PDB file of all heavy atoms in Angstrom:
ATOM      1  N   ALA A   1       2.478   8.370  -9.637  1.00 96.00           N
ATOM      2  CA  ALA A   1       2.436   8.136  -8.182  1.00 96.00           C
ATOM      3  C   ALA A   1       2.124   6.658  -7.906  1.00 96.00           C
ATOM      4  O   ALA A   1       2.742   6.040  -7.026  1.00 96.00           O
ATOM      5  CB  ALA A   1       1.379   9.024  -7.543  1.00 96.00           C
ATOM      6  N   PHE A   2       1.223   6.088  -8.652  1.00 97.00           N
ATOM      7  CA  PHE A   2       0.876   4.674  -8.489  1.00 97.00           C
ATOM      8  C   PHE A   2       2.068   3.797  -8.850  1.00 97.00           C
ATOM      9  O   PHE A   2       2.278   2.739  -8.244  1.00 97.00           O
ATOM     10  CB  PHE A   2      -0.330   4.315  -9.328  1.00 97.00           C
ATOM     11  CG  PHE A   2      -1.638   4.518  -8.624  1.00 97.00           C
ATOM     12  CD1 PHE A   2      -2.191   5.801  -8.522  1.00 97.00           C
ATOM     13  CD2 PHE A   2      -2.322   3.457  -8.072  1.00 97.00           C
ATOM     14  CE1 PHE A   2      -3.380   6.016  -7.866  1.00 97.00           C
ATOM     15  CE2 PHE A   2      -3.536   3.658  -7.421  1.00 97.00           C
ATOM     16  CZ  PHE A   2      -4.064   4.924  -7.319  1.00 97.00           C
ATOM     17  N   GLU A   3       2.858   4.212  -9.821  1.00 98.00           N
ATOM     18  CA  GLU A   3       4.050   3.443 -10.186  1.00 98.00           C
ATOM     19  C   GLU A   3       5.025   3.363  -9.028  1.00 98.00           C
ATOM     20  O   GLU A   3       5.623   2.301  -8.782  1.00 98.00           O
ATOM     21  CB  GLU A   3       4.716   4.074 -11.415  1.00 98.00           C
ATOM     22  CG  GLU A   3       3.943   3.855 -12.709  1.00 98.00           C
ATOM     23  CD  GLU A   3       4.521   4.646 -13.873  1.00 98.00           C
ATOM     24  OE1 GLU A   3       5.359   5.557 -13.643  1.00 98.00           O
ATOM     25  OE2 GLU A   3       4.097   4.368 -15.028  1.00 98.00           O
ATOM     26  N   GLU A   4       5.198   4.457  -8.298  1.00 97.00           N
ATOM     27  CA  GLU A   4       6.090   4.452  -7.156  1.00 97.00           C
ATOM     28  C   GLU A   4       5.527   3.582  -6.018  1.00 97.00           C
ATOM     29  O   GLU A   4       6.263   2.859  -5.332  1.00 97.00           O
ATOM     30  CB  GLU A   4       6.318   5.879  -6.637  1.00 97.00           C
ATOM     31  CG  GLU A   4       7.066   6.779  -7.606  1.00 97.00           C
ATOM     32  CD  GLU A   4       8.434   6.230  -7.955  1.00 97.00           C
ATOM     33  OE1 GLU A   4       9.092   5.631  -7.070  1.00 97.00           O
ATOM     34  OE2 GLU A   4       8.853   6.396  -9.112  1.00 97.00           O
ATOM     35  N   PHE A   5       4.231   3.657  -5.837  1.00 96.00           N
ATOM     36  CA  PHE A   5       3.563   2.826  -4.824  1.00 96.00           C
ATOM     37  C   PHE A   5       3.747   1.343  -5.167  1.00 96.00           C
ATOM     38  O   PHE A   5       3.984   0.512  -4.299  1.00 96.00           O
ATOM     39  CB  PHE A   5       2.086   3.214  -4.766  1.00 96.00           C
ATOM     40  CG  PHE A   5       1.636   3.581  -3.393  1.00 96.00           C
ATOM     41  CD1 PHE A   5       2.408   4.324  -2.545  1.00 96.00           C
ATOM     42  CD2 PHE A   5       0.388   3.189  -2.946  1.00 96.00           C
ATOM     43  CE1 PHE A   5       2.004   4.674  -1.271  1.00 96.00           C
ATOM     44  CE2 PHE A   5      -0.057   3.520  -1.673  1.00 96.00           C
ATOM     45  CZ  PHE A   5       0.743   4.265  -0.837  1.00 96.00           C
ATOM     46  N   GLU A   6       3.582   1.032  -6.426  1.00 97.00           N
ATOM     47  CA  GLU A   6       3.740  -0.349  -6.922  1.00 97.00           C
ATOM     48  C   GLU A   6       5.147  -0.872  -6.629  1.00 97.00           C
ATOM     49  O   GLU A   6       5.328  -1.992  -6.113  1.00 97.00           O
ATOM     50  CB  GLU A   6       3.451  -0.397  -8.417  1.00 97.00           C
ATOM     51  CG  GLU A   6       3.614  -1.783  -9.049  1.00 97.00           C
ATOM     52  CD  GLU A   6       2.448  -2.718  -8.821  1.00 97.00           C
ATOM     53  OE1 GLU A   6       1.429  -2.272  -8.247  1.00 97.00           O
ATOM     54  OE2 GLU A   6       2.551  -3.901  -9.212  1.00 97.00           O
ATOM     55  N   LYS A   7       6.139  -0.042  -6.924  1.00 97.00           N
ATOM     56  CA  LYS A   7       7.529  -0.438  -6.675  1.00 97.00           C
ATOM     57  C   LYS A   7       7.770  -0.719  -5.193  1.00 97.00           C
ATOM     58  O   LYS A   7       8.454  -1.687  -4.846  1.00 97.00           O
ATOM     59  CB  LYS A   7       8.491   0.682  -7.131  1.00 97.00           C
ATOM     60  CG  LYS A   7       8.584   0.882  -8.634  1.00 97.00           C
ATOM     61  CD  LYS A   7       9.488   2.079  -8.935  1.00 97.00           C
ATOM     62  CE  LYS A   7       9.476   2.422 -10.408  1.00 97.00           C
ATOM     63  NZ  LYS A   7      10.282   3.651 -10.670  1.00 97.00           N
ATOM     64  N   GLU A   8       7.206   0.127  -4.337  1.00 97.00           N
ATOM     65  CA  GLU A   8       7.416  -0.049  -2.900  1.00 97.00           C
ATOM     66  C   GLU A   8       6.758  -1.326  -2.393  1.00 97.00           C
ATOM     67  O   GLU A   8       7.329  -2.043  -1.576  1.00 97.00           O
ATOM     68  CB  GLU A   8       6.906   1.170  -2.142  1.00 97.00           C
ATOM     69  CG  GLU A   8       7.053   1.087  -0.638  1.00 97.00           C
ATOM     70  CD  GLU A   8       8.499   0.980  -0.162  1.00 97.00           C
ATOM     71  OE1 GLU A   8       9.424   1.218  -0.971  1.00 97.00           O
ATOM     72  OE2 GLU A   8       8.687   0.665   1.032  1.00 97.00           O
ATOM     73  N   LEU A   9       5.559  -1.609  -2.863  1.00 96.00           N
ATOM     74  CA  LEU A   9       4.885  -2.824  -2.456  1.00 96.00           C
ATOM     75  C   LEU A   9       5.664  -4.065  -2.889  1.00 96.00           C
ATOM     76  O   LEU A   9       5.803  -5.028  -2.129  1.00 96.00           O
ATOM     77  CB  LEU A   9       3.467  -2.872  -3.035  1.00 96.00           C
ATOM     78  CG  LEU A   9       2.342  -2.339  -2.167  1.00 96.00           C
ATOM     79  CD1 LEU A   9       1.028  -2.333  -2.945  1.00 96.00           C
ATOM     80  CD2 LEU A   9       2.196  -3.170  -0.880  1.00 96.00           C
ATOM     81  N   LYS A  10       6.157  -4.041  -4.132  1.00 97.00           N
ATOM     82  CA  LYS A  10       6.935  -5.171  -4.637  1.00 97.00           C
ATOM     83  C   LYS A  10       8.229  -5.318  -3.855  1.00 97.00           C
ATOM     84  O   LYS A  10       8.671  -6.440  -3.576  1.00 97.00           O
ATOM     85  CB  LYS A  10       7.229  -4.970  -6.126  1.00 97.00           C
ATOM     86  CG  LYS A  10       6.010  -5.199  -7.029  1.00 97.00           C
ATOM     87  CD  LYS A  10       6.378  -5.015  -8.487  1.00 97.00           C
ATOM     88  CE  LYS A  10       5.201  -5.338  -9.384  1.00 97.00           C
ATOM     89  NZ  LYS A  10       5.507  -5.118 -10.824  1.00 97.00           N
ATOM     90  N   ARG A  11       8.849  -4.196  -3.511  1.00 96.00           N
ATOM     91  CA  ARG A  11      10.115  -4.245  -2.743  1.00 96.00           C
ATOM     92  C   ARG A  11       9.886  -4.898  -1.396  1.00 96.00           C
ATOM     93  O   ARG A  11      10.704  -5.716  -0.936  1.00 96.00           O
ATOM     94  CB  ARG A  11      10.662  -2.823  -2.544  1.00 96.00           C
ATOM     95  CG  ARG A  11      12.012  -2.788  -1.849  1.00 96.00           C
ATOM     96  CD  ARG A  11      12.392  -1.385  -1.412  1.00 96.00           C
ATOM     97  NE  ARG A  11      11.560  -0.901  -0.344  1.00 96.00           N
ATOM     98  CZ  ARG A  11      11.727  -1.247   0.947  1.00 96.00           C
ATOM     99  NH1 ARG A  11      12.672  -2.090   1.315  1.00 96.00           N
ATOM    100  NH2 ARG A  11      10.916  -0.725   1.880  1.00 96.00           N
ATOM    101  N   ARG A  12       8.756  -4.577  -0.776  1.00 95.00           N
ATOM    102  CA  ARG A  12       8.466  -5.125   0.542  1.00 95.00           C
ATOM    103  C   ARG A  12       8.127  -6.616   0.466  1.00 95.00           C
ATOM    104  O   ARG A  12       8.487  -7.388   1.353  1.00 95.00           O
ATOM    105  CB  ARG A  12       7.300  -4.375   1.203  1.00 95.00           C
ATOM    106  CG  ARG A  12       7.672  -2.955   1.627  1.00 95.00           C
ATOM    107  CD  ARG A  12       6.464  -2.174   2.113  1.00 95.00           C
ATOM    108  NE  ARG A  12       6.863  -0.845   2.541  1.00 95.00           N
ATOM    109  CZ  ARG A  12       7.097  -0.499   3.802  1.00 95.00           C
ATOM    110  NH1 ARG A  12       6.989  -1.397   4.749  1.00 95.00           N
ATOM    111  NH2 ARG A  12       7.447   0.727   4.109  1.00 95.00           N
ATOM    112  N   GLY A  13       7.392  -6.979  -0.574  1.00 95.00           N
ATOM    113  CA  GLY A  13       7.013  -8.374  -0.740  1.00 95.00           C
ATOM    114  C   GLY A  13       6.088  -8.902   0.346  1.00 95.00           C
ATOM    115  O   GLY A  13       6.094 -10.099   0.646  1.00 95.00           O
ATOM    116  N   THR A  14       5.303  -8.034   0.961  1.00 95.00           N
ATOM    117  CA  THR A  14       4.401  -8.409   2.041  1.00 95.00           C
ATOM    118  C   THR A  14       2.953  -8.169   1.614  1.00 95.00           C
ATOM    119  O   THR A  14       2.679  -7.522   0.619  1.00 95.00           O
ATOM    120  CB  THR A  14       4.706  -7.602   3.316  1.00 95.00           C
ATOM    121  OG1 THR A  14       4.691  -6.189   3.020  1.00 95.00           O
ATOM    122  CG2 THR A  14       6.069  -7.975   3.876  1.00 95.00           C
ATOM    123  N   LYS A  15       2.055  -8.676   2.424  1.00 96.00           N
ATOM    124  CA  LYS A  15       0.620  -8.576   2.113  1.00 96.00           C
ATOM    125  C   LYS A  15       0.147  -7.132   2.174  1.00 96.00           C
ATOM    126  O   LYS A  15      -0.672  -6.689   1.361  1.00 96.00           O
ATOM    127  CB  LYS A  15      -0.164  -9.444   3.114  1.00 96.00           C
ATOM    128  CG  LYS A  15      -1.601  -9.652   2.763  1.00 96.00           C
ATOM    129  CD  LYS A  15      -2.225 -10.657   3.732  1.00 96.00           C
ATOM    130  CE  LYS A  15      -3.668 -10.925   3.387  1.00 96.00           C
ATOM    131  NZ  LYS A  15      -4.275 -11.906   4.343  1.00 96.00           N
ATOM    132  N   PHE A  16       0.680  -6.390   3.141  1.00 97.00           N
ATOM    133  CA  PHE A  16       0.321  -4.993   3.344  1.00 97.00           C
ATOM    134  C   PHE A  16       1.583  -4.142   3.480  1.00 97.00           C
ATOM    135  O   PHE A  16       2.677  -4.676   3.659  1.00 97.00           O
ATOM    136  CB  PHE A  16      -0.532  -4.826   4.613  1.00 97.00           C
ATOM    137  CG  PHE A  16      -1.805  -5.618   4.611  1.00 97.00           C
ATOM    138  CD1 PHE A  16      -1.946  -6.755   5.392  1.00 97.00           C
ATOM    139  CD2 PHE A  16      -2.876  -5.231   3.819  1.00 97.00           C
ATOM    140  CE1 PHE A  16      -3.121  -7.499   5.402  1.00 97.00           C
ATOM    141  CE2 PHE A  16      -4.059  -5.947   3.812  1.00 97.00           C
ATOM    142  CZ  PHE A  16      -4.181  -7.079   4.605  1.00 97.00           C
ATOM    143  N   PHE A  17       1.414  -2.843   3.439  1.00 95.00           N
ATOM    144  CA  PHE A  17       2.539  -1.955   3.721  1.00 95.00           C
ATOM    145  C   PHE A  17       3.045  -2.175   5.139  1.00 95.00           C
ATOM    146  O   PHE A  17       4.230  -1.991   5.420  1.00 95.00           O
ATOM    147  CB  PHE A  17       2.147  -0.484   3.533  1.00 95.00           C
ATOM    148  CG  PHE A  17       2.080  -0.060   2.099  1.00 95.00           C
ATOM    149  CD1 PHE A  17       0.885  -0.055   1.405  1.00 95.00           C
ATOM    150  CD2 PHE A  17       3.233   0.359   1.422  1.00 95.00           C
ATOM    151  CE1 PHE A  17       0.834   0.342   0.071  1.00 95.00           C
ATOM    152  CE2 PHE A  17       3.165   0.768   0.111  1.00 95.00           C
ATOM    153  CZ  PHE A  17       1.981   0.747  -0.566  1.00 95.00           C
ATOM    154  N   GLY A  18       2.122  -2.561   6.020  1.00 92.00           N
ATOM    155  CA  GLY A  18       2.489  -2.812   7.413  1.00 92.00           C
ATOM    156  C   GLY A  18       3.015  -4.216   7.662  1.00 92.00           C
ATOM    157  O   GLY A  18       3.186  -4.601   8.813  1.00 92.00           O
ATOM    158  N   GLY A  19       3.272  -4.968   6.604  1.00 94.00           N
ATOM    159  CA  GLY A  19       3.744  -6.351   6.737  1.00 94.00           C
ATOM    160  C   GLY A  19       2.614  -7.318   6.464  1.00 94.00           C
ATOM    161  O   GLY A  19       1.922  -7.212   5.465  1.00 94.00           O
ATOM    162  N   GLU A  20       2.404  -8.255   7.380  1.00 95.00           N
ATOM    163  CA  GLU A  20       1.307  -9.220   7.198  1.00 95.00           C
ATOM    164  C   GLU A  20       0.026  -8.754   7.877  1.00 95.00           C
ATOM    165  O   GLU A  20      -0.996  -9.409   7.789  1.00 95.00           O
ATOM    166  CB  GLU A  20       1.726 -10.595   7.754  1.00 95.00           C
ATOM    167  CG  GLU A  20       2.878 -11.216   6.986  1.00 95.00           C
ATOM    168  CD  GLU A  20       2.619 -11.275   5.484  1.00 95.00           C
ATOM    169  OE1 GLU A  20       1.561 -11.790   5.075  1.00 95.00           O
ATOM    170  OE2 GLU A  20       3.502 -10.822   4.706  1.00 95.00           O
ATOM    171  N   THR A  21       0.108  -7.620   8.538  1.00 96.00           N
ATOM    172  CA  THR A  21      -1.086  -7.018   9.146  1.00 96.00           C
ATOM    173  C   THR A  21      -1.206  -5.566   8.678  1.00 96.00           C
ATOM    174  O   THR A  21      -0.219  -4.942   8.278  1.00 96.00           O
ATOM    175  CB  THR A  21      -1.016  -7.042  10.680  1.00 96.00           C
ATOM    176  OG1 THR A  21       0.183  -6.348  11.110  1.00 96.00           O
ATOM    177  CG2 THR A  21      -0.995  -8.454  11.210  1.00 96.00           C
ATOM    178  N   ILE A  22      -2.416  -5.038   8.740  1.00 98.00           N
ATOM    179  CA  ILE A  22      -2.678  -3.673   8.293  1.00 98.00           C
ATOM    180  C   ILE A  22      -2.010  -2.675   9.229  1.00 98.00           C
ATOM    181  O   ILE A  22      -2.093  -2.791  10.466  1.00 98.00           O
ATOM    182  CB  ILE A  22      -4.198  -3.421   8.248  1.00 98.00           C
ATOM    183  CG1 ILE A  22      -4.800  -4.260   7.099  1.00 98.00           C
ATOM    184  CG2 ILE A  22      -4.513  -1.925   8.059  1.00 98.00           C
ATOM    185  CD1 ILE A  22      -6.313  -4.244   7.090  1.00 98.00           C
ATOM    186  N   GLY A  23      -1.309  -1.689   8.635  1.00 98.00           N
ATOM    187  CA  GLY A  23      -0.603  -0.709   9.409  1.00 98.00           C
ATOM    188  C   GLY A  23      -0.953   0.730   9.017  1.00 98.00           C
ATOM    189  O   GLY A  23      -1.940   0.987   8.317  1.00 98.00           O
ATOM    190  N   PHE A  24      -0.148   1.635   9.467  1.00 98.00           N
ATOM    191  CA  PHE A  24      -0.355   3.076   9.306  1.00 98.00           C
ATOM    192  C   PHE A  24      -0.533   3.483   7.843  1.00 98.00           C
ATOM    193  O   PHE A  24      -1.479   4.174   7.477  1.00 98.00           O
ATOM    194  CB  PHE A  24       0.824   3.800   9.944  1.00 98.00           C
ATOM    195  CG  PHE A  24       0.668   5.275  10.062  1.00 98.00           C
ATOM    196  CD1 PHE A  24      -0.099   5.835  11.063  1.00 98.00           C
ATOM    197  CD2 PHE A  24       1.324   6.128   9.185  1.00 98.00           C
ATOM    198  CE1 PHE A  24      -0.206   7.221  11.217  1.00 98.00           C
ATOM    199  CE2 PHE A  24       1.219   7.508   9.306  1.00 98.00           C
ATOM    200  CZ  PHE A  24       0.448   8.064  10.325  1.00 98.00           C
ATOM    201  N   VAL A  25       0.409   3.049   6.988  1.00 98.00           N
ATOM    202  CA  VAL A  25       0.347   3.422   5.562  1.00 98.00           C
ATOM    203  C   VAL A  25      -0.878   2.849   4.902  1.00 98.00           C
ATOM    204  O   VAL A  25      -1.543   3.518   4.097  1.00 98.00           O
ATOM    205  CB  VAL A  25       1.632   2.973   4.829  1.00 98.00           C
ATOM    206  CG1 VAL A  25       1.561   3.378   3.349  1.00 98.00           C
ATOM    207  CG2 VAL A  25       2.869   3.588   5.463  1.00 98.00           C
ATOM    208  N   ASP A  26      -1.219   1.609   5.227  1.00 98.00           N
ATOM    209  CA  ASP A  26      -2.411   0.977   4.650  1.00 98.00           C
ATOM    210  C   ASP A  26      -3.669   1.779   4.972  1.00 98.00           C
ATOM    211  O   ASP A  26      -4.528   1.972   4.118  1.00 98.00           O
ATOM    212  CB  ASP A  26      -2.565  -0.440   5.203  1.00 98.00           C
ATOM    213  CG  ASP A  26      -1.352  -1.301   4.917  1.00 98.00           C
ATOM    214  OD1 ASP A  26      -1.160  -1.659   3.724  1.00 98.00           O
ATOM    215  OD2 ASP A  26      -0.606  -1.603   5.859  1.00 98.00           O
ATOM    216  N   ILE A  27      -3.774   2.242   6.207  1.00 98.00           N
ATOM    217  CA  ILE A  27      -4.962   3.001   6.611  1.00 98.00           C
ATOM    218  C   ILE A  27      -5.010   4.351   5.886  1.00 98.00           C
ATOM    219  O   ILE A  27      -6.068   4.775   5.419  1.00 98.00           O
ATOM    220  CB  ILE A  27      -4.964   3.185   8.142  1.00 98.00           C
ATOM    221  CG1 ILE A  27      -5.216   1.850   8.817  1.00 98.00           C
ATOM    222  CG2 ILE A  27      -6.022   4.218   8.557  1.00 98.00           C
ATOM    223  CD1 ILE A  27      -5.144   1.880  10.326  1.00 98.00           C
ATOM    224  N   VAL A  28      -3.863   5.027   5.789  1.00 98.00           N
ATOM    225  CA  VAL A  28      -3.858   6.320   5.113  1.00 98.00           C
ATOM    226  C   VAL A  28      -4.190   6.173   3.626  1.00 98.00           C
ATOM    227  O   VAL A  28      -4.927   6.970   3.046  1.00 98.00           O
ATOM    228  CB  VAL A  28      -2.478   7.010   5.283  1.00 98.00           C
ATOM    229  CG1 VAL A  28      -2.399   8.280   4.425  1.00 98.00           C
ATOM    230  CG2 VAL A  28      -2.244   7.347   6.746  1.00 98.00           C
ATOM    231  N   ALA A  29      -3.653   5.125   3.005  1.00 98.00           N
ATOM    232  CA  ALA A  29      -3.886   4.900   1.567  1.00 98.00           C
ATOM    233  C   ALA A  29      -5.167   4.139   1.301  1.00 98.00           C
ATOM    234  O   ALA A  29      -5.543   3.971   0.148  1.00 98.00           O
ATOM    235  CB  ALA A  29      -2.700   4.132   0.979  1.00 98.00           C
ATOM    236  N   GLY A  30      -5.843   3.686   2.363  1.00 98.00           N
ATOM    237  CA  GLY A  30      -6.957   2.755   2.205  1.00 98.00           C
ATOM    238  C   GLY A  30      -8.107   3.236   1.367  1.00 98.00           C
ATOM    239  O   GLY A  30      -8.836   2.413   0.788  1.00 98.00           O
ATOM    240  N   CYS A  31      -8.320   4.548   1.279  1.00 96.00           N
ATOM    241  CA  CYS A  31      -9.449   5.047   0.487  1.00 96.00           C
ATOM    242  C   CYS A  31      -9.331   4.665  -0.992  1.00 96.00           C
ATOM    243  O   CYS A  31     -10.343   4.604  -1.696  1.00 96.00           O
ATOM    244  CB  CYS A  31      -9.589   6.558   0.619  1.00 96.00           C
ATOM    245  SG  CYS A  31      -8.152   7.513   0.074  1.00 96.00           S
ATOM    246  N   ILE A  32      -8.100   4.386  -1.445  1.00 95.00           N
ATOM    247  CA  ILE A  32      -7.909   3.936  -2.819  1.00 95.00           C
ATOM    248  C   ILE A  32      -8.738   2.696  -3.093  1.00 95.00           C
ATOM    249  O   ILE A  32      -9.321   2.534  -4.173  1.00 95.00           O
ATOM    250  CB  ILE A  32      -6.409   3.599  -3.071  1.00 95.00           C
ATOM    251  CG1 ILE A  32      -5.539   4.840  -2.970  1.00 95.00           C
ATOM    252  CG2 ILE A  32      -6.218   2.942  -4.438  1.00 95.00           C
ATOM    253  CD1 ILE A  32      -4.054   4.531  -2.932  1.00 95.00           C
ATOM    254  N   SER A  33      -8.812   1.819  -2.112  1.00 96.00           N
ATOM    255  CA  SER A  33      -9.433   0.521  -2.293  1.00 96.00           C
ATOM    256  C   SER A  33     -10.898   0.579  -2.681  1.00 96.00           C
ATOM    257  O   SER A  33     -11.385  -0.227  -3.465  1.00 96.00           O
ATOM    258  CB  SER A  33      -9.275  -0.315  -1.022  1.00 96.00           C
ATOM    259  OG  SER A  33     -10.001   0.259   0.054  1.00 96.00           O
ATOM    260  N   TYR A  34     -11.633   1.533  -2.123  1.00 97.00           N
ATOM    261  CA  TYR A  34     -13.075   1.579  -2.389  1.00 97.00           C
ATOM    262  C   TYR A  34     -13.538   2.844  -3.077  1.00 97.00           C
ATOM    263  O   TYR A  34     -14.615   2.860  -3.698  1.00 97.00           O
ATOM    264  CB  TYR A  34     -13.863   1.377  -1.083  1.00 97.00           C
ATOM    265  CG  TYR A  34     -13.809   2.538  -0.121  1.00 97.00           C
ATOM    266  CD1 TYR A  34     -14.830   3.475  -0.082  1.00 97.00           C
ATOM    267  CD2 TYR A  34     -12.724   2.716   0.729  1.00 97.00           C
ATOM    268  CE1 TYR A  34     -14.780   4.548   0.799  1.00 97.00           C
ATOM    269  CE2 TYR A  34     -12.667   3.778   1.610  1.00 97.00           C
ATOM    270  CZ  TYR A  34     -13.707   4.686   1.641  1.00 97.00           C
ATOM    271  OH  TYR A  34     -13.637   5.758   2.509  1.00 97.00           O
ATOM    272  N   GLN A  35     -12.745   3.920  -3.013  1.00 97.00           N
ATOM    273  CA  GLN A  35     -13.174   5.177  -3.650  1.00 97.00           C
ATOM    274  C   GLN A  35     -12.634   5.361  -5.069  1.00 97.00           C
ATOM    275  O   GLN A  35     -13.251   6.006  -5.885  1.00 97.00           O
ATOM    276  CB  GLN A  35     -12.755   6.392  -2.799  1.00 97.00           C
ATOM    277  CG  GLN A  35     -13.598   6.561  -1.549  1.00 97.00           C
ATOM    278  CD  GLN A  35     -13.447   7.933  -0.926  1.00 97.00           C
ATOM    279  OE1 GLN A  35     -12.454   8.627  -1.138  1.00 97.00           O
ATOM    280  NE2 GLN A  35     -14.417   8.353  -0.145  1.00 97.00           N
ATOM    281  N   LEU A  36     -11.465   4.773  -5.342  1.00 97.00           N
ATOM    282  CA  LEU A  36     -10.874   4.959  -6.661  1.00 97.00           C
ATOM    283  C   LEU A  36     -11.786   4.533  -7.800  1.00 97.00           C
ATOM    284  O   LEU A  36     -11.911   5.280  -8.787  1.00 97.00           O
ATOM    285  CB  LEU A  36      -9.529   4.237  -6.755  1.00 97.00           C
ATOM    286  CG  LEU A  36      -8.809   4.333  -8.110  1.00 97.00           C
ATOM    287  CD1 LEU A  36      -8.514   5.784  -8.462  1.00 97.00           C
ATOM    288  CD2 LEU A  36      -7.522   3.518  -8.102  1.00 97.00           C
TER     289      LEU A  36
END
């Protein structure tokens, strides 16, 4: 699952899934950042 997420982030080439600002996907996936 992380491999697919990695591919999508690289494809976008942006700071966040929401572009240069935090968006919907970033918030839903955000627990990864501090709970993982």
